[in-house]
């Protein structure tokens, strides 16, 4: 990777060993996938998922066969599973992998690609131009974190939606996580004073010591609201919020008159709703701008330029990829469930390691 890397040791329960297989002739390939076994109810449950093994067909005309190295766990997957995914479908997710068979002259064997192929060892597809993941810019962990959806979300939220400016006071919630961790670093790179909010002393220390936040606050302490008021000083110019609920309610009154809350997500409400954001008619907050966004809406025009800027900052050492690796596809449900827990030990982007080498 072009820049420093902070990473936890691999964690999570190991996958059953029977999934290991030998690869001989391409047509003999078999691979595992994790499918939705039933639609999730409240909290995420291991029984919502099942591991399936299947024979992998060779790629057709213009297609490639990809062996994935890492796949992603993200809060939005819960929504997908509750709404449009069907029982038996491979769980939708981002992946980074290597082309192992190719009928596409643009993508010879060995090409690194970032796709939305799901929790699966192999996928066969036609590659879009945006799915090429240049190794010169980063390895599979860079591409799933800083150069992937979390990095682009943080950038678009801070710059395109939030208009961040040097000298501003910026607060970031879920600041030790995937999106929040990049938002903290990008706000620092933009010259802001950054207040990072996370759950637990280890996570708070990570935001200051590794990510460079000026002030780190633990929202689970009794003194949090007072500490946040003190840290805000003359007011918060931009709140990049990943959490919603009571944390958003506490922060909105601390925005400056021209301040803005950019709503990246409401992870506190995805499993059990503890009350949505303060409503627009709230007398404390009606003067302030609260704006949500979906990163996908920015992809057609902004994906490539934003990625280029993220790659530049990664190369310059102003961004660091931070990952917590879970070992094997079988650990994906546990990795996923941990996203909805407060104060977990998993820093940065949670990724599921499928394959370690780049062999074809
Ligand atoms: N707008 C978009 O297009 C877009 C795109 C991608 C992601 N997102 C959003 O970005 C947010 C962060 O996603 P991520 O993938 O980066 O996850 P993440 O921050 O790596 O993991 C989620 C973190 O949220 C915190 N959390 C969970 N439940 C909470 C609760 N009840 N109260 C307070 N904090 C809680 C936990 O951190 P602590 O223990 O430190 O609190 C947890 O580690 C999510 O809301 C997601 O939906 C939005």
């Amino acid at each position: 990777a072009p820049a420093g890397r902070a990473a936890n040791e691999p964690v999570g329960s190991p996958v059953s060993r029977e999934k290991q297989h030998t690869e001989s002739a391409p047509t003999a390939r078999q691979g595992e996938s994790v499918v939705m076994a039933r639609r999730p109810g409240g909290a995420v449950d291991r029984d919502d998922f099942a591991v399936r093994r299947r024979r992998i067909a060779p790629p057709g005309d213009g297609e490639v066969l990809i062996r994935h190295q890492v796949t992603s766990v993200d809060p939005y997957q819960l929504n997908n599973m509750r709404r449009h995914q069907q029982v038996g479908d491979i769980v939708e997710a981002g992946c980074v992998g290597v082309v192992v068979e190719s009928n596409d002259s643009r993508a010879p064997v060995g090409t690194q690609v970032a796709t939305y192929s799901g929790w699966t060892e192999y996928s066969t597809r036609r590659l879009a131009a945006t799915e090429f993941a240049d190794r010169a810019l980063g390895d599979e962990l860079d591409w799933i974190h800083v150069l992937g959806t979390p990095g682009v979300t943080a950038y678009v939220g801070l710059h395109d939606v939030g208009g961040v400016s040097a000298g501003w006071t910026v607060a970031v919630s879920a600041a030790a996580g995937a999106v929040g961790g990049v938002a903290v670093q990008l706000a620092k790179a933009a010259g802001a004073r950054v207040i990072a909010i996370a759950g637990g002393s280890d996570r708070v220390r990570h935001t200051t010591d590794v990510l460079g936040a000026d002030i780190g606050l633990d929202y689970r302490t009794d003194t949090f609201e007072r500490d946040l008021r003190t840290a805000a000083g003359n007011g918060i110019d931009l709140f990049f919020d990943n959490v919603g609920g009571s944390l958003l309610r506490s922060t909105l009154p601390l925005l400056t008159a021209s301040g803005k809350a950019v709503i990246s997500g409401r992870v506190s409400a995805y499993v059990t709703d503890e009350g949505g954001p303060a409503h627009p008619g709230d007398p404390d907050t009606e003067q302030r701008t609260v704006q949500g966004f979906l990163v996908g809406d920015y992809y057609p025009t902004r994906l490539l330029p934003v990625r280029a800027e993220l790659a530049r900052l990664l190369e310059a050492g102003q961004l660091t990829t931070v990952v917590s690796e879970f070992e094997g596809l079988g650990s994906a449900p546990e990795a996923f469930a941990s996203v909805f827990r407060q104060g977990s030990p998993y820093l940065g982007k949670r990724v599921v390691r499928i394959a370690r080498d780049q062999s074809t």
Side-chain angles (χ1 to χ4, degrees), residues 73-76 149-150 153 174-180 197-200 203 219-220 240-243 247 263-270 274 293-296 338-344 346 348-350:
V73 296
D74 299 89
Y76 76 83
T149 307
T153 302
V179 173
I197 303 167
R203 297 179 78 76
Y219 67 88
R220 298 192 301 170
F240 187 104
D241 186 28
N242 289 304
V243 168
L247 197 50
I263 309 300
S264 161
R266 297 202 297 138
V267 71
S268 68
Y270 295 167
E274 58 158 79
F293 72 102
L294 278 176
V295 70
S338 78
V339 166
F340 303 102
R341 283 187 214 125
Q342 298 167 258
S344 81
Y346 311 125
K349 172 72 191 153
R350 276 160 259 231

Side-chain angles (χ1 to χ4, degrees), residues 7 13 16 62 65 104 115 168 171 173 183 200 230 258 286 337:
S13 41
S16 59
L65 176 66
D104 178 347
T115 62
W168 278 15
S173 61
T230 306
S258 57
E286 63 187 2

Side-chain angles (χ1 to χ4, degrees), residues 204-256:
V204 168
R205 202 171 313 113
H206 171 75
T207 66
T208 53
D209 296 3
V210 176
L211 305 178
D214 298 280
I215 299 170
L217 298 178
D218 182 351
Y219 67 88
R220 298 192 301 170
T221 60
D222 293 341
T223 57
F224 170 68
E225 299 222 351
R226 196 179 65 215
D227 296 343
L228 183 60
R229 264 198 311 278
T230 306
N234 293 331
I236 294 169
D237 298 292
L238 175 59
F239 180 37
F240 187 104
D241 186 28
N242 289 304
V243 168
S246 55
L247 197 50
L248 179 58
R249 286 175 184 280
S250 311
T251 311
L252 281 179
L254 300 177
L255 291 180
T256 63

